[in-house]
């Protein structure tokens, strides 16, 4: 076990206990922090700000011997439309930044905070090796000032600036680094001085007395008061429901129900405080941009958030431009060769001059946008996805259909069949017979007499994709939308002796509707041509169900959406010097910004998802149902998720303590290796700061954090019995590892393969537009199907504009930005500040490098048929590192795209 860091002699077990809850202005209950009686009895603390005018403060609190301390301030360059002359003059005369060093110690004679030491920063002409703007300041630190614990910063310029870090040199105990990573507003906008603590981490009971007041003030500022509309410059973290997806005031058809509350449970998002709609007071007015706390939005920094800026351009400008060119929005592809033209010839796109003049497209996606010199326009030509490049007919093959349930884009839905016969849990009076049409005889015939169904169940050979009960209540609603067909579906697979999955049967169900009784039919692979084409059509429907579930639940809900409350609570309840705050921050970078963009252009009413995915206008509502019925925090841990779905059982003699039901499961094997490395890193980190069990339970910041996540961030599930307790270091290790896994490994597995597997959309159609020809069969439809089954399949696929929009979006979402930060690649400065933590990180980084080699070896193993074979895409989605672009691999720290 790692040895704990040396702690201060002072120790306050409970400094700020939780007071009684009070009602927040928005109707949420929050847990404020107040001083305990023991803290109130401590010596009087005087504010350094109140003493700023005294001669004593100006000279560091003493007229005796002083030490010359130099500060080097690193500021990231930003993209600004205009540069203020006043700012340039202030830079020249050293009046851009006013700084104050804060002692971590109290004055032993008075018991008050020591006077701060002031200094002004002057800009240097040269930038540093990272291209950062450099400022320097000098301080005269008096003898007896003690350890520097924080620095106060005020921006004297007119414009905001992004403060990267501050390094102090000349101190008796060696250099001190203060990692800032924050926007500093002009004092004309925000009058309060910013507080930044040094990189040394403390538990609340160990915080030096000289920093206690600043800790409380900083957390109070980040929480805000829950009132008013948030401004772009604010740094306030607060909660609200999803009530801004529609725009009923401008178009009643875009009205959408509020997500979050008893009727439609959902995680909470960041509060913006905008005014309510006139036609629907429950809904919030939409705007051109969604507020997020300023430090979560790095869009103005050169090269930062490359991916988010590109995605915004694609959704806001490029897709509307392409869409405007299409006269018939329902027009499909008449031949498969027309689909191939998207990759071979491309689309002639007359981009508006305003967009064409920007270099973003040319520099960001030269692989897609080509210049057509003869017309002066641009050619939008898609790169052939890796799966299509390796095997043009991969999407047609049943073995690939089975393989991709394990090693494809959505490995989160396959589960072991444990009960037979299959039955629905829905009300049969509303949805018809609950009994599945998949019979024992049919399955045994498909197995080919190898074993009975009973034996297959006992030997754990039957697996299923089950979208029956989730989708069936929406079938009638979705079918009322023109060009949309939906069924409830079940798909059964058999585990072959070689570890591959053989598709056995697909059941499609339509509930009683429009005066018609329930319809259901089972389709299976066949050598007979008609049955064979019906099977292909049934696969297209199931794949559209899987695509919708993947995007709305496996991707959006379980990663982006459910993580946002963790981010809000971390900033509200864990102070900047708390070690758990510093452990989690890299895993939260950019997520709130990308989520805000999603609410604006992706998951909003008539947005990209609603217009191109099967649930259509009910997409987010369906996501809420999945959250209500399926989401559990404890099951977000990879081992428990695999056990829940019957894909693993606990086995202390197996690697990672689990024995896989399907041994050749690429996602599970690679994922468990990543999980183990993450867990060991978190274990080393937590045990260093919490060497005693009681420290976790007595950490009031940590307890308030976990309470707020459960009762406010996920308020609709606050009473669930499955929430883990937080009493011991082991509890904390499991909770933190789960959060980090979701933001890194889980998200990587469902995101960065989107273009690989969905770029050629017949492999994973996002929508089905025609019903099965056997449902309410007419002579005309049947004749058309029999004479031209290929055309029937093409008409079922997405339309041209739907397919193009999805391909553009998938390409962007699958891209790594040039400034991507991969897990374990570079140590965070606060981690490096502690030698024990730095050593633990280096072991973690080394483990990830070993896993890279293990994954390569697995992909080269010809015995592993789910990741190796002719035309097979190797499973690399959980390889830790990658280069920029669409690579189909790489695990970033955070959900940054």
């Amino acid at each position: 076990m790692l040895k704990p860091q040396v702690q201060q002699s002072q120790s306050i077990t409970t400094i700020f206990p939780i007071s009684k809850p009070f009602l927040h202005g928005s109707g949420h209950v929050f847990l404020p922090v107040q001083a305990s009686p023991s803290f109130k009895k401590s010596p009087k603390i005087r504010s350094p700000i109140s003493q700023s005018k005294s001669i004593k403060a100006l000279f560091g609190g003493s007229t005796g011997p002083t030490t010359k301390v130099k500060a080097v301030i690193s500021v990231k360059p930003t993209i600004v439309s205009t540069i203020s002359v006043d700012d340039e003059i202030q830079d020249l005369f050293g009046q851009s930044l006013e700084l104050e060093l804060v002692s971590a110690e109290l004055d032993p004679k008075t018991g008050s905070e020591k006077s701060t030491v002031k200094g002004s920063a002057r800009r240097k002409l040269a930038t540093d090796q990272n291209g950062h703007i450099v400022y320097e300041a000098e301080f005269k630190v008096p003898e007896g000032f003690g350890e520097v614990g924080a620095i106060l910063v005020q921006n004297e310029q007119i414009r905001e600036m992004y403060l990267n870090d501050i390094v102090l040199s000349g101190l008796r105990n060696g250099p001190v680094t203060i990692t800032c990573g924050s926007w500093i507003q002009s004092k004309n906008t925000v009058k309060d001085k910013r507080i930044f603590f040094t990189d040394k981490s403390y538990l609340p009971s160990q915080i030096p007395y000289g920093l206690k007041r600043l800790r409380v003030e900083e957390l109070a500022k980040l929480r805000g008061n829950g009132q008013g509309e948030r401004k772009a410059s604010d740094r306030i973290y607060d909660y609200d429901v999803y009530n801004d997806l529609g725009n009923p005031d401008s178009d009643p058809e875009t009205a959408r129900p509020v997500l979050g509350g008893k009727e439609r449970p959902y995680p909470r998002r960041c509060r913006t405080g905008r005014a309510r709609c006139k036609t629907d007071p429950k809904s919030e007015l939409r705007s051109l941009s969604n507020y997020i706390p300023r430090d979560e939005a790095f869009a103005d920094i050169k090269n930062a958030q490359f991916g988010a800026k590109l995605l915004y351009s694609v959704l806001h400008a490029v897709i509307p431009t392409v869409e405007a060119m299409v006269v018939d929005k329902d027009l499909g592809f008449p031949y498969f060769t027309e689909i191939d033209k998207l990759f071979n010839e491309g689309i002639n796109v007359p981009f508006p001059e305003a967009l064409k003049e920007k270099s973003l497209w040319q520099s960001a996606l030269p692989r897609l946008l080509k210049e057509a010199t003869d017309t002066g326009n641009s050619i939008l030509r898609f790169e052939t996805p890796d799966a299509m490049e390796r095997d043009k007919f991969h999407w047609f093959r049943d073995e690939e259909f089975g393989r991709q349930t394990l090693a494809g884009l959505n490995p989160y839905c396959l589960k072991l069949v444990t009960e037979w016969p299959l039955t629905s849990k829905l009300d049969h009076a509303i949805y018809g017979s609950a009994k599945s049409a998949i019979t024992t005889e049919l399955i045994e015939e498909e197995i080919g007499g190898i074993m009975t169904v009973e034996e297959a169940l006992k030997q754990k050979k039957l697996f299923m994709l089950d979208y029956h009960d989730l989708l069936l209540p929406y079938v009638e609603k979705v079918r009322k939308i023109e060009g949309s067909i939906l069924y409830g579906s079940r798909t059964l697979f058999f585990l072959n002796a070689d570890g591959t999955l053989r598709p056995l049967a697909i059941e499609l169900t339509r509930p009683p509707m429009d005066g018609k009784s329930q319809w259901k039919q089972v389709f299976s692979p066949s050598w007979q041509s008609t049955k064979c084409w019906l099977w292909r059509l049934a696969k297209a429907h199931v794949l559209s169900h899987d695509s919708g579930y993947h995007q709305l639940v496996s991707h959006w809900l379980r990663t982006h959406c459910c993580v946002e409350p963790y981010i809000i609570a971390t900033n509200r309840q864990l102070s900047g010097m708390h070690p758990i705050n510093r452990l989690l921050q890299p895993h939260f970078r950019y997520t709130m910004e990308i989520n805000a963009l999603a609410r604006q252009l992706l998951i909003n009413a008539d947005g990209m998802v609603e217009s191109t995915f099967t649930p259509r206008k009910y997409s987010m509502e369906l996501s809420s149902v999945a959250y209500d019925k399926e989401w559990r925090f404890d099951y977000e841990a990879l081992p428990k998720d695999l056990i829940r779905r019957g894909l693993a059982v606990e086995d202390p003699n197996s690697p990672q303590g689990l024995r896989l039901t399907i041994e050749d499961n690429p996602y599970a094997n690679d994922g468990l290796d990543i999980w183990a490395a993450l867990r060991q890193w978190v274990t080393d980190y937590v045990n260093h700061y919490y060497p005693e069990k009681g420290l976790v339970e007595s950490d009031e910041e940590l307890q308030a954090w976990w309470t707020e996540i459960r009762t406010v961030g996920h308020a609709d599930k606050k009473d669930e019995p499955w929430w883990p307790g937080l009493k011991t270091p082991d509890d904390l290790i499991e909770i933190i590892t789960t959060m980090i896994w979701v933001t890194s490994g889980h998200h990587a597995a469902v995101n960065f393969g989107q273009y690989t597997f969905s770029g050629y959309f017949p492999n994973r159609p996002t929508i089905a537009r025609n019903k099965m020809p056997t449902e309410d069969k007419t002579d005309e439809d049947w004749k058309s199907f029999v004479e031209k089954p290929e055309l029937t399949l093409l008409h079922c696929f997405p339309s041209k504009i739907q397919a193009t929009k999805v391909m553009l979006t998938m390409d962007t979402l699958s891209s790594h930005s040039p400034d991507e930060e991969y897990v374990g690649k570079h140590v965070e400065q606060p981690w490096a500040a502690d030698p024990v933590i730095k050593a633990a990180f280096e072991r973690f980084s080394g483990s990830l490098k070993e896993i890279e080699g293990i994954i390569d070896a697995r992909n080269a193993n010809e015995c592993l048929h789910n990741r190796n074979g002719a035309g097979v895409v190797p499973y690399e989605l959980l390889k830790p590192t990658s280069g920029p672009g669409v690579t189909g691999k790489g695990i970033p720290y955070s959900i940054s795209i």
Side-chain angles (χ1 to χ4, degrees):
M1 180 183 295
L2 300 175
K3 294 182 179 179
Q5 66 174 12
V6 178
Q7 309 292 356
Q8 296 228 351
S9 59
Q10 304 101 318
S11 177
I12 298 180
T13 303
T14 307
I15 304 168
F16 298 107
I18 302 300
S19 70
K20 294 181 180 180
F22 69 93
L23 190 64
H24 187 282
S26 61
H28 302 306
V29 176
F30 293 96
L31 304 173
V33 175
Q34 65 181 24
S36 69
S38 62
F39 181 68
K40 291 177 181 178
K41 294 178 183 179
S42 63
K44 182 179 180 182
I45 297 176
R46 296 169 60 197
S47 168
I49 298 175
S50 65
Q51 304 175 43
S52 61
K53 295 181 181 179
S54 70
I55 298 296
K56 183 178 180 181
L58 290 175
F59 290 94
S62 173
T63 58
T66 61
T67 299
K68 185 177 179 181
V69 174
K70 178 181 178 182
V72 177
I73 303 103
S74 168
V75 174
K76 287 189 177 181
T78 58
I79 303 171
V80 292
S81 56
T82 57
I83 298 177
S84 166
V85 175
D86 291 339
D87 287 349
E88 295 300 309
I89 294 174
Q90 285 179 316
D91 272 347
L92 183 64
F93 288 97
Q95 298 174 333
S96 298
L97 290 170
E98 295 297 322
L99 312 173
E100 297 180 44
L101 301 183
V102 179
S103 175
E105 304 169 4
L106 297 179
D107 189 316
K109 295 181 180 179
T110 65
S112 301
E113 291 178 0
K114 293 182 179 181
S115 301
T116 60
V117 179
K118 293 188 175 184
S120 296
R122 181 186 301 274
R123 179 174 176 175
K124 295 188 69 177
L125 296 178
T127 58
D128 66 12
Q129 60 183 3
N130 297 314
H132 297 164
I133 300 168
V134 177
Y135 290 81
E136 289 184 350
E138 289 187 354
F139 304 89
K140 292 182 179 180
V141 179
E143 186 176 17
F145 182 76
E147 182 182 353
V148 174
I151 192 165
L152 305 180
V153 182
Q154 188 160 54
N155 179 7
E156 299 288 332
Q157 294 191 351
I158 294 174
R159 65 179 184 268
E160 65 177 355
M161 61 173 66
Y162 186 81
L163 195 59
N164 190 56
D165 59 33
I166 301 172
V167 178
L168 304 176
S169 59
L171 294 164
R172 289 192 175 95
N173 295 328
V176 171
T177 300
I178 301 171
T179 301
C180 305
S182 179
W183 288 99
I184 310 294
Q185 301 300 321
S186 166
K187 71 175 183 180
N188 299 324
T189 303
V190 178
K191 297 187 182 301
D192 294 339
K193 298 175 182 179
R194 285 296 308 278
I195 305 165
F196 294 105
F197 300 103
T198 66
D199 285 352
K200 189 173 182 179
S201 298
Y202 299 95
L203 298 183
S205 61
Q206 300 155 349
I207 295 173
Y209 284 103
L211 304 178
K212 290 185 181 295
R213 179 186 59 81
L214 295 182
R215 161 189 170 264
V216 175
E217 286 184 4
E218 178 69 355
L219 283 174
K221 291 173 183 176
L222 291 170
R223 292 176 187 141
N225 60 9
Q227 302 297 318
E229 182 173 355
R230 300 272 63 87
K231 303 185 296 293
S233 59
D234 286 343
R235 297 171 54 245
I236 297 174
Y237 294 79
D238 206 350
Y239 301 92
D240 207 343
V241 294
Y242 279 74
N243 60 355
D244 63 341
L245 302 179
N247 193 5
D249 283 357
S250 62
D251 183 0
E253 289 297 316
T254 66
R256 295 293 181 268
V258 174
L259 303 184
K262 186 176 181 180
E263 187 176 355
R264 294 183 179 86
Y266 216 57
R268 299 303 189 257
R269 63 166 174 90
C270 183
R271 178 185 178 275
T272 66
R274 292 179 301 218
R276 299 302 179 95
C277 296
K278 294 180 181 179
T279 55
D280 180 13
K282 292 182 179 180
S283 296
E284 189 175 79
L285 286 171
R286 289 174 59 80
S287 65
L288 295 176
S289 62
N290 288 322
Y291 163 79
I292 57 173
R294 187 66 185 105
D295 286 344
E296 305 294 335
F298 298 155
D300 292 336
I301 300 175
K302 291 179 180 177
N303 298 324
Q305 267 304 80
F306 183 91
K309 289 194 292 183
L310 176 59
L311 181 59
Y312 179 84
S313 296
V314 169
L315 295 174
H316 187 72
V318 179
I319 286 180
T321 300
V322 175
E323 197 168 18
M325 298 166 47
V326 180
V327 177
D328 185 356
K329 300 294 188 294
D330 296 322
L331 183 65
F333 293 89
Y335 311 103
F336 277 95
T337 52
E338 286 294 311
I339 301 176
D340 294 340
K341 285 183 178 180
L342 294 173
F343 308 100
N344 301 330
E345 300 178 13
I347 306 170
N348 190 0
V349 183
F351 280 99
E353 287 302 316
L355 179 64
K356 195 174 181 180
E357 288 172 0
K358 297 179 181 178
S359 62
L360 177 63
W361 264 98
Q362 294 296 341
S363 60
L365 285 183
R367 43 194 296 278
L368 293 192
L369 198 68
K370 320 293 181 184
E371 286 298 319
T373 55
D374 54 337
T375 65
N377 295 328
S378 296
I379 297 294
L380 183 63
R381 188 167 69 227
F382 291 93
E383 287 285 304
T384 304
D386 192 22
M388 184 69 172
E389 187 74 40
R390 290 171 178 266
D391 182 357
K392 185 175 182 179
F393 300 102
H394 72 290
W395 67 278
F396 217 55
R397 296 188 289 107
D398 286 345
E399 57 268 33
E400 181 66 7
F401 175 42
R403 193 189 73 84
Q404 285 188 28
T405 62
L406 290 171
L409 190 55
N410 186 28
Y412 283 89
C413 293
L414 186 73
K415 64 181 182 181
L416 180 70
V417 176
T418 56
E419 297 179 357
W420 195 266
L422 303 175
T423 56
S424 170
K425 293 179 173 60
L426 297 174
D427 187 347
H428 66 86
I430 299 174
Y431 299 105
S433 173
K435 186 177 180 181
S436 171
I438 302 177
T439 64
T440 300
E441 293 75 20
L442 185 147
I443 295 303
E444 290 180 350
E445 180 182 346
E446 288 299 321
I447 293 175
I450 297 175
M451 62 182 67
T452 64
V453 168
E454 185 179 356
E455 291 171 331
L457 291 171
K458 187 177 181 179
Q459 296 182 32
K460 298 183 178 181
K461 293 286 189 178
L462 290 180
F463 296 83
M464 176 170 58
L465 289 177
D466 187 1
Y467 299 123
H468 184 278
D469 286 10
L470 180 67
L471 296 181
L472 204 61
Y474 286 89
V475 168
E476 184 173 7
K477 296 177 182 179
V478 170
R479 287 187 174 211
K480 290 179 180 178
I481 303 172
E482 188 176 353
S484 300
I485 291 293
L486 185 63
Y487 294 100
S489 70
R490 297 185 180 99
T491 306
L492 247 61
F493 300 88
F494 179 77
L495 180 61
N496 294 319
D498 64 357
T500 59
L501 288 176
R502 184 199 315 176
L504 298 178
I506 291 173
E507 179 183 25
L508 300 178
T509 304
R510 181 204 68 198
M513 55 179 286
D514 299 332
K516 301 174 183 176
S517 60
Q518 182 193 63
W519 177 89
K520 63 175 65 173
Q521 187 173 350
V522 178
F523 304 89
S524 11
S526 174
W527 293 101
Q528 198 271 329
S529 61
T530 301
K531 291 182 179 179
C532 181
W533 275 103
L534 287 173
W535 167 252
R536 288 167 183 158
L537 282 164
K539 277 202 302 182
H541 282 277
V542 166
L543 287 166
S544 74
H545 303 165
D546 193 64
S547 293
Y549 188 94
H550 159 261
Q551 204 63 262
L552 292 165
V553 182
S554 301
H555 186 193
W556 163 255
L557 173 67
R558 291 180 63 178
T559 64
H560 290 261
C561 184
C562 287
V563 165
E564 187 153 338
Y566 310 156
I567 303 173
I568 298 172
T570 298
N571 285 279
R572 287 171 53 85
Q573 298 297 344
L574 299 181
S575 64
M577 65 184 100
H578 197 291
I580 300 303
N581 182 313
R582 285 175 163 161
L583 175 60
L584 287 173
Q585 283 300 337
H587 297 281
F588 293 160
R589 286 179 185 141
Y590 311 146
T591 301
M592 290 184 73
E593 180 175 17
I594 207 72
N595 286 3
L597 176 57
R599 297 201 332 267
Q600 186 181 357
L601 296 168
L602 271 173
I603 61 173
N604 59 300
D606 289 340
M608 215 289 297
V609 170
E610 282 197 3
S611 64
T612 59
F613 283 82
T614 286
R616 300 299 299 267
K617 65 183 290 186
Y618 303 99
S619 292
M620 290 300 289
E621 190 177 331
L622 186 72
S623 176
S624 168
V625 173
Y627 175 73
D628 182 30
K629 296 182 179 299
E630 300 176 3
W631 189 85
R632 288 178 49 160
F633 178 85
D634 54 340
Y635 285 169
E636 294 305 287
L638 175 61
K640 291 183 179 179
D641 175 59
L642 294 173
I643 293 171
R644 172 184 67 89
R645 293 191 282 131
L647 299 185
V649 293
E650 292 187 62
D651 182 359
N653 297 319
S654 298
Q656 323 306 348
L658 290 183
R659 176 165 47 84
L660 297 180
T661 312
I662 303 173
E663 292 182 10
D664 182 12
N665 185 334
Y667 161 74
N669 280 300
D670 296 358
L672 286 172
D673 286 343
I674 297 294
W675 170 273
L678 290 170
R679 198 178 198 284
Q680 185 59 57
W681 155 238
V682 174
T683 299
D684 291 344
Y685 191 99
V686 168
N687 285 341
H688 177 58
Y689 288 104
Y690 296 91
E692 302 171 11
K693 287 185 177 181
L695 288 174
V696 169
E697 200 164 9
S698 65
D699 186 334
E700 70 275 4
E701 284 189 15
L702 194 67
Q703 295 299 326
W705 167 78
W706 185 232
T707 298
E708 187 167 290
I709 285 172
R710 293 182 290 109
T711 63
V712 184
H714 287 273
D716 303 325
K717 288 182 173 280
K718 63 180 173 27
D719 298 322
E720 295 288 354
W722 41 254
W723 283 105
L726 182 54
K727 296 182 178 181
T728 68
D730 285 344
D731 295 336
L732 181 58
I733 288 165
E734 185 72 9
I735 289 168
I736 296 298
T737 304
T738 299
M739 290 182 177
I740 288 176
W741 162 255
V742 170
T743 63
S744 56
H746 179 148
H747 182 258
V750 297
N751 185 75
F752 293 105
Q754 291 193 82
Y755 192 72
T756 298
F757 293 109
S758 298
Y760 185 73
F761 67 87
N763 184 58
R764 286 184 65 81
T766 58
I767 196 167
R769 298 192 298 149
N770 286 341
K771 64 183 182 181
M772 294 293 294
T774 53
E775 181 195 344
D776 302 329
K777 184 169 65 174
T778 65
D779 292 341
E780 182 179 353
D781 288 343
W782 187 253
K783 180 182 178 182
S784 175
F785 163 66
V786 171
E787 291 181 353
K788 199 77 173 180
E790 177 185 322
L791 192 59
T792 302
L793 181 59
L794 284 165
H795 286 170
C796 187
F797 284 158
S799 67
K800 283 187 174 182
I801 188 58
Q802 287 172 331
T804 304
K805 288 165 66 173
V806 168
M807 291 166 69
L808 274 166
T809 306
M810 296 302 182
D811 181 272
T812 309
L813 293 176
S814 300
S815 295
H816 289 290
S817 63
D819 61 340
E820 193 79 89
E821 299 177 15
Y822 298 99
V823 65
K825 191 72 173 177
H826 300 292
V827 65
E828 296 290 307
Q829 183 55 42
W831 303 344
D834 189 312
V836 177
I837 296 301
K838 183 180 180 182
F841 178 84
E842 288 172 351
R843 289 193 294 273
F844 170 54
S845 182
S847 296
L848 293 178
K849 291 176 182 177
E850 289 181 16
I851 292 172
E852 294 244 5
I854 292 171
I855 292 174
D856 287 339
R858 286 172 179 161
N859 286 327
N861 188 340
E862 295 182 358
C863 295
L864 300 179
H865 303 298
N866 290 319
R867 59 197 310 159
N868 183 288
V872 170
V873 176
Y875 190 77
E876 296 184 318
L877 291 175
L878 289 174
K879 286 191 70 172
T881 57
S882 170
V886 179
T887 63
K889 58 185 174 183
I891 305 177
Y893 273 108
S894 62
I895 303 165
S896 56
I897 186 65

